[in-house]
Amino acid sequence: MPTTHSYDVVIIGAGPAGMCAGMYAGRAMLKTVVLERGFPGGELLNTEVIEDYPGFEHVLGHELAQKFADHAAKFGAEFKNGVTIDCVRRLDDGTFETIADSGDRYLSPAVIVTAGGTPIKLGIPGEQEYAGKGVSYCAICDGAFFRGHTIAVVGGGDAATEEADFLTRYAEKVYLIHRRGELRSSKLLQQRLFANPKIEVIWDTVVESVDGDAQGLVKNLKLRHVTTDERRDLAVTGLFVFVGFRPNTGIIDGHVDHDEMGYLLTDFNMHTSIRGLFAAGDVRAQLTRQVTTAVGDATTAAIAAEKYLKAIADGDPAEPIVGTGGYTA
Ligand SMILES: Cc1cc2nc3c(=O)[nH]c(=O)nc-3n(C[C@H](O)[C@H](O)[C@H](O)COP(=O)(O)OP(=O)(O)OC[C@H]3O[C@@H](n4cnc5c(N)ncnc54)[C@H](O)[C@@H]3O)c2cc1C
């Protein structure tokens, strides 16, 4: 039997951003719920080791996730796991209605969307099996594990071109594998790529499968030329996939401002173009997507939400939150 719940703040997604927003909102004594379709952790649960979160030189992804969740719960944020959100909409009186696939409704005057995004996968045998064991979707995060290695990058857009170049800081040799005969990336990025002696482009080719060694780590790719169908092996210890990333924004009913890739646009306070709707972390349009940026966004979003709720309580919800040009739609 679907039920209706009321909160001050509803947070959608329990990745680093959602858990951090939950911590701040709970600490501000707001009645807060973090709704998560799986278990708390987000992409941390797909990351073996984190080496770039300040204060933690080496921490397992799932351990950091547990610490985040415990910390938020300690300050009173309620976690509901296994709750997939279908839709969030703003009702005529300004209240948000967040609807789960079970039919349960969560009513609140403020919502923080921290639903992250999803790297597009190749969908080939071995890709999932070796994810985190040589297969990666994040060069900044995992590049340093491939110092002196021979690795491959798949893709032909800006991300693949830029990250192939970036990865040569660590890798001895980087193959860029692209299914077409030319790249889609900007000319400047292409110039850098072609000038880099550590990079070799393999044109008109797709990766058909990823093979591992006895330790369960990537050791080989099976390639196929798309016009000749010729097949061959490529010995690499890493495969970085950059064939696109989709922000999880389909849950928002109605128009909210976003960039050309679908990432949500916010002001400095993480306020979207819908009043009372905030966004933080990977779902938001920004330069880079890391745990540090996710928690930074989330801190701002939770504090801004608190100020927004106070403004409503004071009968002044149309005012910009802290005077930095918030949307007033
Ligand atoms: C393989 C990999 C390795 C990485 N390594 C590092 C690293 O070493 N260092 C680093 O700083 N960053 C790393 N990153 C990036 C970092 O993990 C992300 O930037 C960070 O997790 C973003 O946090 P987030 O909370 O915004 O989103 P996410 O972590 O994606 O969390 C979003 C959460 O929302 C939930 N959700 C989505 N839709 C719904 C819905 N409809 N209903 C309910 N719940 C929903 C998801 O299940 C998920 O738990 C890595 C990323 C990847 C993919």
Side-chain angles (χ1 to χ4, degrees), residues 13 15-17 36-37 42-43 47 52 83 85 115 141 281-282 289-291:
E36 167 58 49
R37 64 186 170 189
E43 289 295 354
T47 309
D52 52 7
V83 175
I85 300 309
C141 318
D282 280 12
R289 294 186 175 81
Q290 291 283 280
V291 179

Side-chain angles (χ1 to χ4, degrees), residues 9-59:
V9 183
V10 166
I11 298 169
I12 303 172
M19 294 190 284
C20 178
M23 183 190 81
Y24 273 92
R27 196 158 182 261
M29 310 295 281
L30 299 174
K31 190 177 178 216
T32 303
V33 68
V34 188
L35 304 172
E36 167 58 49
R37 64 186 170 189
F39 294 101
E43 289 295 354
L44 287 178
L45 301 182
N46 296 323
T47 309
E48 184 69 14
V49 175
I50 307 273
E51 292 190 320
D52 52 7
Y53 191 71
F56 292 84
E57 283 174 31
H58 181 102
V59 61

